[in-house]
Amino acid sequence: MDKSFWDGKRVLITGHTGFKGGWMSVWLHRVGARLFGISNGRVSNPDFYTACGVSSLYEKEYFEDVRDLVAMRASVSEARPDILIHMAAQPIVLYGMTNPAETFAVNVVGTANVLEAARAAPSLKSIVNVTTDKVYRNLEWVWPYREGDELGGKDPYSSSKSCADICARSFYRSYFQDLGVGMANVRGGNVIGGGDWARDRLVPDFFRALEVGAPITIRNPRSIRPWQHVLEPVSGYLKLAERLYGDPAKYSGDWNFGPRAQDCKPVEWIISYLRANAERKIDVFVEPASNDKEARLLKLDSSKAREGLDWESRLPIETALSYCLDWYVGYSNGRALKVTAAQIEEFNAR
Ligand SMILES: NC(=O)c1ccc[n+]([C@@H]2O[C@H](COP(=O)([O-])OP(=O)(O)OC[C@H]3O[C@@H](n4cnc5c(N)ncnc54)[C@H](O)[C@@H]3O)[C@@H](O)[C@H]2O)c1
């Protein structure tokens, strides 16, 4: 991270109360960015936002719904961002299965509203639209997906993110390109890290169970996912935001930020590692009728980010999981922000 670049920049983050938004906020605050946030409130209780006092890092927070275009126009216009990171979303696959219309509304219409509002922001130079590895049409094969591969998420969450990706590209080609504003869709993997308490995600489910000493039930134990520590994609998004700012035409487009191939592990491997290294042991059960609507095999090819941005995944999966274990110990001792800052520094030094 180039501190001289970020110092004093006005950065608007949608989804700033969330898990990724929280880590990004702490990092950007440390390099002197002026922060503005749009979110519709806390995502869980407890949450990273409260544990790390994220609110105090913000110059202004707008608690609005991205489905409300009038509110998006007012907030973006007041925030006057130089850089926009759009992350607000309904991000849970299982929630999307039972609430498809809401998921499409938040993820697709919400993206269109934020970008529509951004068209009128005079100082805006760089937009990063956060989608996911799940945007690709999953062929259940061993090869990792590349940026040019066909989109086509199957379940409502994945599909809504494919749509958001296409929507953002349309805004770029129709408006931002001519305005000289850089815009990229960024696709990360399955993110892990301290401070995530979302429901129906493996690592949060594990720490919730660990806290009370209850057993954990996992689904699809042999599913392989591109696990990565939250600092990995966040470092990629921020590096790209910098480059888009300086050379919008060169860096606009789609970018994968995935883990190394050897870090894509099955669900059962992740749980075994956490269980073996946690302070106390809990029982693990496998759900008998696993959900076959979720993709079983998903890998991302990050060659473009390696070549074009000199971005590289830095943490082996074992280290990423140790960061998670350390974070929750720190949190339970009232040191969440200290551990977060220390992990950012350690990550940066690699
Ligand atoms: N966590 C992952 O594994 C992962 C992987 C790939 C992509 N992503 C993407 O990264 C982004 C952030 O994910 P996260 O894990 O931090 O999620 P999160 O649930 O922790 O945070 C979501 C954020 O969006 C905001 N939000 C949700 N609905 C909103 C609405 N209607 N109006 C305004 N704000 C709203 C929430 O307030 C919160 O700030 C999402 O776009 C998600 O799809 C996450």
Side-chain angles (χ1 to χ4, degrees):
M1 284 271 278
D2 180 357
K3 189 173 185 317
S4 64
F5 171 83
W6 290 99
D7 200 15
K9 286 274 181 326
R10 300 173 73 95
V11 184
L12 175 60
I13 302 177
T14 74
H16 75 293
T17 60
F19 165 55
K20 271 188 184 172
W23 279 88
M24 184 181 277
S25 305
V26 174
W27 200 343
L28 283 175
H29 186 259
R30 293 176 73 76
V31 290
R34 297 174 62 182
L35 298 179
F36 301 82
I38 298 178
S39 288
N40 68 345
R42 293 176 62 183
V43 292
S44 58
N45 183 13
D47 60 350
F48 184 97
Y49 175 77
T50 310
C52 291
V54 169
S55 181
S56 67
L57 312 177
Y58 272 76
E59 204 155 312
K60 180 91 197 239
E61 298 174 280
Y62 303 91
F63 289 101
E64 307 284 1
D65 195 310
V66 290
R67 287 168 288 184
D68 181 345
L69 176 59
V70 174
M72 288 307 104
R73 282 201 167 117
S75 314
V76 175
S77 146
E78 194 181 282
R80 291 184 288 112
D82 302 312
I83 292 162
L84 165 65
I85 317 270
H86 175 50
M87 273 192 296
Q90 189 303 96
I92 306 293
V93 174
L94 282 188
Y95 185 87
M97 292 294 290
T98 45
N99 301 276
E102 179 189 338
T103 300
F104 278 99
V106 174
N107 294 357
V108 190
V109 177
T111 299
N113 285 345
V114 169
L115 295 178
E116 167 77 49
R119 287 174 58 199
S123 51
L124 186 63
K125 287 263 178 25
S126 162
I127 305 174
V128 173
N129 179 45
V130 177
T131 64
T132 169
D133 53 352
K134 296 186 177 66
V135 295
Y136 294 109
R137 180 172 166 233
N138 195 317
L139 298 164
E140 299 286 349
W141 63 20
V142 291
W143 297 286
Y145 295 92
R146 294 182 184 160
E147 286 83 351
D149 285 345
E150 190 185 347
L151 301 187
K154 196 157 83 173
D155 63 89
Y157 166 69
S158 308
S159 169
S160 72
K161 285 297 209 177
S162 311
C163 298
D165 212 289
I166 293 169
C167 163
R169 210 180 296 166
S170 150
F171 268 82
Y172 176 68
R173 292 202 183 123
S174 307
Y175 313 108
F176 294 121
Q177 190 167 23
D178 294 338
L179 293 169
V181 177
M183 208 220 69
N185 285 318
V186 292
R187 304 163 182 163
N190 271 51
V191 177
I192 58 174
D196 190 6
W197 276 279
R199 300 244 152 240
D200 300 319
R201 276 184 188 159
L202 183 66
V203 174
D205 284 348
F206 176 84
F207 283 104
R208 244 189 309 275
L210 187 69
E211 195 183 347
V212 290
I216 176 173
T217 304
I218 57 171
R219 53 182 205 276
N220 303 328
R222 279 189 284 281
S223 290
I224 295 174
R225 294 277 181 268
W227 311 101
Q228 58 184 171
H229 191 271
V230 58
L231 288 171
E232 305 272 23
V234 167
S235 69
Y237 304 165
L238 296 180
K239 194 164 203 179
L240 184 55
E242 274 178 46
R243 302 288 174 90
L244 284 166
Y245 192 94
D247 193 342
K250 181 170 175 192
Y251 291 98
S252 290
D254 306 321
W255 298 82
N256 287 345
F257 294 100
R260 304 172 313 167
Q262 62 267 42
D263 294 324
C264 297
K265 298 283 190 196
V267 163
E268 60 194 1
W269 187 96
I270 298 290
I271 283 295
S272 302
Y273 186 92
L274 287 173
R275 192 172 173 274
N277 291 283
E279 283 182 323
R280 64 161 128 167
K281 297 286 166 266
I282 56 169
D283 291 328
V284 178
F285 297 109
V286 175
E287 201 173 90
S290 284
N291 177 1
D292 65 358
K293 294 285 189 291
E294 283 187 72
R296 287 179 197 282
L297 188 58
L298 182 50
K299 294 184 184 170
L300 269 186
D301 184 323
S302 306
S303 310
K304 184 180 169 187
R306 264 197 307 279
E307 294 295 318
L309 293 173
D310 198 21
W311 175 89
E312 193 88 59
S313 173
R314 298 184 217 177
L315 303 178
I317 183 67
E318 294 84 354
T319 312
L321 290 168
S322 301
Y323 271 34
C324 297
L325 288 157
D326 292 347
W327 195 94
Y328 285 97
V329 172
Y331 164 75
S332 57
N333 296 330
R335 297 173 52 252
L337 183 57
K338 277 214 167 87
V339 182
T340 303
Q343 291 186 345
I344 289 172
E345 291 313 316
E346 196 181 306
F347 180 86
N348 249 336
R350 282 173 178 263

